[in-house]
Amino acid sequence: MAENNKKKIMLTGDRPTGRLHIGHYVGSLRQRLIIQDDPDFEKIFIMIADAQALTDNADDPEKVRESVFQVALDYLSIGIDPKKTHILIQSQVPALHEITIYYMNLVTVARVQRNPTVKSEIQMRGFGEGSIPVGFFTYPISQASDITAFLATTVPVGEYQEPLLEQCREIVRKFNATYGEVLVEPEIYLPENKTCLRLPGTDGHAKMSKSLGNTIYLSDSEEVLKKKVMSMYTDPNHLRVEDPGTVEGNTVFTYLDAFCTDEQLHEIAPDYETLEDLKAHYRRGGLGDVKVKKILFRVLNDFLTPIRERRTYYEAHPEDVVEILREGTEEARKQTEETLKRMKQVMQIDYFDQWAEKFGTEA
Ligand code: TRP
C-alpha cells in the first residue's frame, strides 16, 4: 500500500579531481542515465563532491575548483538531463556538513579504520601513519550524510564503494534506533554487465586512473582516442597475425565487452555476427591486433561523437551550465534542510520550537 507506492530517490556523486573517463561511464554514469528514464524514481540528484575532493587535495584547491565545472560538462555531455536530474555542488549545501557533525558521534574510530575502501585509498595516496588528514579519514561519515540527507534509496557507484554504503546503512540504523525513524537505508546500484564493474586501463592495469596515464576521457578528441586505442595492451604472446591469441585479460576485448553490442559489431565488421565470433577468430589465429583495435576505435568513436557534440554546445554556453548548477544546488538545499529539520526534531535539539510550545516564546 503506502509502502509499495513509495517512489525511489537517487543520489550519487563524484569527486572533482579531473575529467571523467569511460571507466566512470560504464561503472556508474550509464546507470544514472537508465534511472533518469525510470518512472519509479521520484527525485534524482547528482553531487559534485568538491568538499570530499578537498579532503585529500588540500594542497591543490585549484585542481578541484577547475574540475567542478569540467565534471558538470561531463554530466551534461553524456546526456544527464537537467529537467530530470538535479546537479548540485556539495560545498554549497550547508545541511550536509551539519548532519556530518551529528553522525560523527555514531561511528567509532575503529570502525572507520576497518573500512577497506579507506584503507586502500590511504595506501594509494601514500599517506604515512602521521599524515592522514582527519577530514579524509572521516569522509565515509560525510558521504553517509550526502546520501541520507536526500533520503536516497538508490546509489549508483562503482563496486569499490560498497563498504561506504555499508557504513552508511549502519549509521542509518543507529540514528533511527537512537532517535527515531527518519532516515532511509540506501542500496548500491551496479551495472549488470560484470565487465563494467571495473574497467582496466588502456595499459592492462587493473584500474583506469589519471595518475597511471591509462585513461580514455569522455572529452578525448578523435585523434587522441585513436592514438590511445592503437597503442592499447593486448595479448603479449600474440606476435604474428596467424598466432592463436588470448581474449581473457586482453584489454581490447574487455572494452569491446563493455561497449560493443553484437549488432554494432556486425555493422562495423559484417564478417562477424557476434562478439563471440570475433573472439573465436582471435583465439584460432589469423586475426591481427590492428584489425581488432580498428573495430574498437570505431565503437568508441561512435559512442563519444554525440558526447563531444553536447560538450561543445555547453562549452559555448557556460551561462547555461551555471544556471543548471544553481537550480540543482537550490533544490538540494531545500531537500536537505527538510531532512535536517526532521532529524533535529527527533534528536530534540529543536530548542526554540520546543520552548515556543512550552513557554509561548518565538520559534
Ligand atoms: N566517494 C565518491 C567518489 O569517490 C564520491 C561521493 C561523494 C559520493 N559523496 C557521495 C558517491 C555520495 C555516492 C554518494 O567518487
Side-chain angles (χ1 to χ4, degrees):
M1 297 165 299
E3 279 296 305
N4 293 341
N5 290 335
K6 237 201 221 151
K7 294 270 192 122
K8 297 183 188 172
I9 298 175
M10 181 195 104
L11 177 287
T12 188
D14 301 279
R15 287 184 197 166
T17 54
R19 296 174 178 216
L20 300 182
H21 52 63
I22 63 172
H24 292 118
Y25 185 85
V26 294
S28 161
L29 300 173
R30 184 144 72 188
Q31 282 54 254
R32 306 176 196 183
L33 294 172
I34 296 171
I35 286 175
Q36 188 170 260
D37 289 324
D38 182 341
D40 283 348
F41 279 81
E42 180 184 7
K43 286 194 176 136
I44 304 178
F45 296 94
I46 302 183
M47 171 186 296
I48 303 177
D50 62 330
Q52 189 180 109
L54 287 169
T55 64
D56 63 339
N57 287 282
D59 52 358
D60 202 353
E62 184 66 25
K63 175 176 78 181
V64 174
R65 187 167 50 242
E66 300 253 297
S67 300
V68 168
F69 202 81
Q70 289 305 322
V71 168
L73 287 175
D74 282 323
Y75 293 155
L76 294 166
S77 62
I78 61 156
I80 293 295
D81 176 356
K83 289 194 202 72
K84 299 174 179 166
T85 298
H86 302 289
I87 305 175
L88 62 117
I89 304 175
Q90 185 187 27
S91 64
Q92 306 304 302
V93 183
L96 296 176
H97 312 291
E98 209 174 324
I99 292 170
T100 302
I101 290 289
Y102 299 120
Y103 286 176
M104 288 198 168
N105 307 327
L106 306 178
V107 182
T108 64
V109 171
R111 177 64 183 86
V112 182
Q113 253 159 355
R114 263 202 329 271
N115 187 314
T117 311
V118 178
K119 263 194 194 164
S120 77
E121 280 174 335
I122 285 175
Q123 245 184 5
M124 260 161 42
R125 307 282 190 284
F127 286 134
E129 259 296 298
S131 67
I132 305 166
V134 175
F136 177 76
F137 183 68
T138 56
Y139 93 77
I141 303 171
S142 146
Q143 186 157 326
S145 165
D146 297 342
I147 296 168
T148 54
F150 294 88
L151 304 177
T153 56
T154 312
V155 185
V157 277
E159 195 186 26
Y160 67 97
Q161 296 267 311
E162 175 56 25
L164 296 170
L165 270 282
E166 187 47 39
Q167 173 80 81
C168 178
R169 287 189 289 269
E170 278 176 40
I171 292 174
V172 168
R173 289 194 287 269
K174 185 103 192 233
F175 183 95
N176 285 350
T178 308
Y179 298 113
E181 294 278 331
V182 172
L183 304 177
V184 176
E185 284 190 42
E187 272 174 30
I188 197 165
Y189 181 77
L190 295 172
E192 264 167 42
N193 180 346
K194 296 299 164 222
T195 313
C196 296
L197 289 178
R198 183 164 292 189
L199 205 66
T202 51
D203 57 355
H205 191 280
K207 205 172 175 270
M208 190 175 268
S209 91
K210 187 159 91 178
S211 51
L212 295 169
N214 62 4
T215 51
I216 292 177
Y217 292 103
L218 295 167
S219 48
D220 276 349
S221 67
E222 185 165 335
E223 258 183 326
V224 169
L225 175 70
K226 187 171 254 165
K227 239 185 245 151
K228 288 183 178 174
V229 171
M230 296 318 282
S231 60
M232 264 173 82
Y233 176 85
T234 59
D235 168 6
N237 298 317
H238 186 241
L239 298 175
R240 290 165 309 172
V241 173
E242 54 286 10
D243 288 342
T246 306
V247 163
E248 288 68 32
N250 183 325
T251 315
V252 177
F253 282 96
T254 310
Y255 283 20
L256 284 172
D257 278 332
F259 281 95
C260 184
T261 62
D262 289 339
E263 296 75 49
Q264 239 177 326
L265 176 70
H266 183 63
E267 218 187 288
I268 296 171
D271 291 352
Y272 307 97
E273 290 297 326
T274 66
L275 213 46
E276 269 320 305
D277 291 347
L278 186 77
K279 288 180 186 173
H281 190 181
Y282 192 81
R283 288 195 179 102
R284 233 179 12 251
L287 175 57
D289 282 351
V290 170
K291 191 163 172 203
V292 191
K293 284 177 172 175
K294 281 188 173 156
I295 294 173
L296 178 63
F297 168 71
R298 266 286 300 277
V299 170
L300 289 179
N301 199 47
D302 288 354
F303 162 69
L304 289 180
T305 299
I307 294 178
R308 287 188 203 113
E309 280 164 10
R310 276 189 292 258
R311 191 181 199 97
T312 305
Y313 171 86
Y314 281 109
E315 275 170 350
H317 297 84
E319 67 286 356
D320 287 6
V321 181
V322 173
E323 239 3 85
I324 287 163
L325 292 174
R326 198 194 305 281
E327 183 278 336
T329 301
E330 196 43 53
E331 185 61 29
R333 283 193 187 135
K334 269 193 227 149
Q335 187 77 31
T336 56
E337 282 300 331
E338 208 168 292
T339 307
L340 177 59
K341 189 166 174 217
R342 286 170 60 196
M343 290 173 68
K344 283 181 164 172
Q345 280 167 354
V346 297
M347 290 171 81
Q348 304 211 34
I349 57 171
D350 55 340
Y351 303 106
F352 291 105
D353 288 334
Q354 290 189 20
W355 289 332
E357 214 160 274
K358 203 165 157 192
F359 304 129
T361 46
E362 237 177 276

